[in-house]
Amino acid sequence: QVQLVESGGGLVQAGDSLRLSCVTSGRAFDRYALDWFRQAPGKEREFVAGISWSGVRTYYTDSVRGRATISRDNAKNTVYLQMHSLKPEDTAVYYCAAELKDYYSDYVLTEESDFTSWGQGTQVTVSS
């Protein structure tokens, strides 16, 4: 398993931007598919954004598409979620997740059940 630690959350106003980071430790980072999920109060955890192990492919949920960018820096063992034009409905605990993939499985994962390694989450609160 890979260890993941999220950071970058906080209290922001609607329309603001922020960047979440998720850094790994231990094993090499290169061959992990990486996702961001979020869970708002009273709601189920939902997929936000994902990136394939090579970084070539990305995918976003409809509610954040155009407002979010997922990226990875293998040299820093870090995956990022850059968000702008934040809305109150973006308020949630944001989690990163990682799954080791073989060389030919260079696609984005979108389901909770696809992942076996999770961070502890970082709170994002967007006020009106």
Side-chain angles (χ1 to χ4, degrees):
Q1 299 295 93
V2 59
Q3 189 173 15
L4 306 168
V5 180
E6 303 96 334
S7 63
L11 176 62
V12 298
Q13 292 186 322
D16 284 355
S17 300
L18 86 173
R19 186 175 75 166
L20 306 181
S21 300
C22 175
V23 63
T24 70
S25 62
R27 292 191 62 188
F29 187 75
D30 301 47
R31 291 279 289 278
Y32 282 93
L34 297 158
D35 273 22
W36 288 95
F37 289 79
R38 67 187 180 187
Q39 187 167 23
K43 297 182 179 180
E44 295 183 346
R45 189 174 300 183
E46 66 171 344
F47 167 80
V48 178
I51 189 167
S52 66
W53 68 258
S54 75
V56 170
R57 297 175 175 85
T58 60
Y59 189 72
Y60 303 89
T61 191
D62 289 346
S63 62
V64 306
R65 188 173 294 113
R67 301 189 297 116
T69 301
I70 187 171
S71 61
R72 63 192 297 161
D73 186 338
N74 288 356
K76 297 181 178 179
N77 287 358
T78 301
V79 61
Y80 304 96
L81 183 68
Q82 178 73 50
M83 302 187 70
H84 66 269
S85 301
L86 285 162
K87 304 175 180 179
E89 50 262 46
D90 294 318
T91 296
V93 177
Y94 284 71
Y95 301 89
C96 63
E99 188 69 19
L100 182 66
K101 306 300 295 183
D102 65 79
Y103 179 84
Y104 299 99
S105 300
D106 190 23
Y107 48 79
V108 176
L109 307 176
T110 59
E111 302 292 332
E112 280 189 76
S113 59
D114 292 330
F115 294 91
T116 56
S117 298
W118 293 82
Q120 296 183 15
T122 184
Q123 175 72 47
V124 173
T125 302
V126 184
S127 63
S128 301

